[in-house]
Amino acid sequence: SSDGKIYMQSASGRVAEALAEQFEKVYLCARVVHGAPPGPFDSPLDAANIELIEQPYWNTTAESLLHFGGFTRAYFRTCARADVLFVRGLCPYIAVLYLCAWIFQRPICHWIVGDSVALLRSAARKDRAADFLALLFARLDRWFTRIGRWLTGGAFVCNGHALTRAYASPRTTEIVSSTIRNSEFFSRIDTCQHSVIHILFVGFVRPEKGIEYLLHAVSQLDSCIAWRLEIVGRREYPDYFKKLREIVAARDLSRQICWTDYVPNGAPLFNIMRSADILVLPTLSEGTPHVLVEARANGLPCISTWVGGVPDTVTHGYDALLVPSKDSRRLAQAIEQMISDGELRRKLICNGLAKARTQTLDQFITTVLKELDSDGSLQNAPVPQD
């Protein structure tokens, strides 16, 4: 940016800074936008030992495929400078990255954050041809990633059991990751004590999040319940957002629905959670969603759908309520149960807080460091965050 700082999406930035606390140098290999940070979407990196290695900029997967040379140079420079590699999620030309890691004989730990294949199959996003090509790319990425891990002898850390099965290997570890620190926990005994129940959704506003089912659910709530729904998240798909607004209008919910744009991870988001009564995640596809850890760490009882890695993150009836996906009636019943059953709600809050303490950023970084130092030879080596 113009102030000389590196700004990064808040959650990923927290991981990069946590790694910077452990190593002498961190090389951050990422796509870059030069200029002022884009509104509230990014946070500055405070660690002085993070150095940027610039990838070509791309908005879509199709755009990224136009920059083979640029990605090859970025990956080569990263592997040449670093002693170990930490990779986050899906990367353009992942085969090239793994090939560079093999050439330079760099230990590599790949964090598999979400199931892109299941996500693309869960809901239509664009037109049929574009969705087919995106699914093909996701399958090829998974294939090349598995081959790359075999070639390098690297490690996978996977969010949830489904991803652990999909990326099964001799060095695959199942985790529930988050970016919340122990110092950020907020304890409370109960919620739903005010005359109007504050229901909260946090996540990107896009088709696989199933927000239309939440809108249908709240419209079915008992008329004796006074409620408002706050939907927090960046609106990425105009046609989908238009569909949601049409549902709101058709069911006359506009006075009870509040749309809030993206809120950065950390205190701004956690303050919203602490003012809410129930978090609802009606998602159709997930890894192990950070928002369920963050909500429970802030004393917020949770309702979610039984998909992906959600059952690996929370346990139905113990620290959350789970319902089938795409079932607005069951979702409405779960919301009403959460509001009316104080004993259950307080149990979920208490157990959720305790469970979230095992799913912190500190726990995640400990797992990553163990995989990067599997032979016990790592001593203050630079780590790239891709």
Side-chain angles (χ1 to χ4, degrees), residues 355-376:
K355 186 73 172 292
R357 292 193 186 279
T358 70
Q359 301 168 339
T360 63
L361 176 60
D362 308 278
Q363 296 287 339
F364 172 64
I365 293 298
T366 297
T367 300
V368 171
L369 294 177
K370 179 181 177 181
E371 295 299 338
L372 288 174
D373 194 23
S374 60
D375 62 358

Side-chain angles (χ1 to χ4, degrees), residues 241-258:
F241 183 56
K242 179 181 178 182
K243 172 185 174 180
L244 298 179
R245 296 299 296 265
E246 289 173 350
I247 293 173
V248 170
R251 296 188 173 246
D252 194 24
L253 302 176
S254 58
R255 288 173 294 180
Q256 295 159 284
I257 306 292
C258 171

Side-chain angles (χ1 to χ4, degrees), residues 36 135 142 218 281 307 338:
L135 183 59
R142 178 178 293 183
V218 293
L281 184 66
V307 298
M338 187 75 82

Side-chain angles (χ1 to χ4, degrees), residues 32-304:
V32 175
V33 176
H34 295 278
F41 304 134
D42 299 300
S43 299
L45 299 180
D46 295 325
N49 60 332
I50 296 179
E51 181 178 326
L52 190 62
I53 295 179
E54 185 172 346
Q55 295 178 4
Y57 184 77
W58 52 279
N59 273 316
T60 66
T61 300
E63 284 183 20
S64 74
L65 299 180
L66 302 175
H67 301 287
F68 174 79
F71 282 108
T72 300
R73 287 189 294 271
Y75 294 155
F76 189 90
R77 288 175 60 199
T78 301
C79 293
R81 294 184 184 187
D83 292 315
V84 293
L85 305 172
F86 173 62
V87 183
R88 182 194 183 281
L90 187 150
C91 300
Y93 291 108
I94 190 65
V96 175
L97 176 56
Y98 270 102
L99 182 60
C100 290
W102 176 73
I103 291 171
F104 286 97
Q105 293 295 289
R106 302 307 191 213
I108 184 167
C109 176
H110 195 153
W111 178 22
I112 310 297
V113 297
D115 190 339
S116 54
V117 173
L119 183 151
L120 290 165
R121 295 173 65 180
S122 68
R125 294 159 67 90
K126 297 181 180 179
D127 60 83
R128 184 173 298 179
D131 286 353
F132 172 79
L133 291 174
L135 183 59
L136 176 63
F137 177 85
R139 290 188 179 279
L140 287 173
D141 176 85
R142 178 178 293 183
W143 188 63
F144 283 125
T145 298
R146 289 176 60 90
I147 292 175
R149 193 225 62 83
W150 170 81
L151 180 68
T152 60
F156 291 143
V157 288
C158 299
N159 282 358
H161 188 62
L163 281 174
T164 300
R165 287 200 313 270
Y167 289 86
S169 81
R171 292 195 60 199
T172 298
T173 301
E174 181 178 337
I175 59 166
V176 175
S177 65
S178 83
T179 59
I180 192 165
R181 291 189 177 274
N182 290 315
S183 59
E184 296 174 310
F185 278 64
F186 174 76
S187 180
R188 58 178 162 175
I189 296 174
D190 204 359
T191 63
C192 299
Q193 301 301 297
H194 298 97
S195 58
V196 178
I197 303 300
H198 180 182
I199 303 167
L200 179 66
F201 166 88
V202 176
F204 291 111
V205 180
R206 52 193 186 195
E208 64 270 15
K209 294 301 182 181
I211 300 170
E212 64 269 38
Y213 299 100
L214 175 55
L215 295 177
H216 290 309
V218 293
S219 71
Q220 299 174 42
L221 293 177
D222 191 300
S223 59
C224 296
I225 298 173
W227 59 269
R228 68 183 181 95
L229 169 63
E230 183 174 7
I231 299 173
V232 176
R234 184 163 39 187
R235 299 184 280 275
E236 295 184 326
Y237 291 82
D239 289 344
Y240 181 62
F241 183 56
K242 179 181 178 182
K243 172 185 174 180
L244 298 179
R245 296 299 296 265
E246 289 173 350
I247 293 173
V248 170
R251 296 188 173 246
D252 194 24
L253 302 176
S254 58
R255 288 173 294 180
Q256 295 159 284
I257 306 292
C258 171
W259 300 93
T260 302
D261 210 340
Y262 177 90
V263 176
N265 191 275
L269 178 60
F270 299 161
N271 287 335
I272 292 176
M273 290 180 171
R274 292 171 188 180
S275 70
D277 294 302
I278 304 168
L279 179 108
V280 181
L281 184 66
T283 182
L284 310 182
S285 174
E286 287 289 342
T288 55
H290 288 181
V291 68
L292 290 179
V293 182
E294 294 158 355
R296 287 174 300 142
N298 282 281
L300 187 58
C302 299
I303 300 170
S304 187

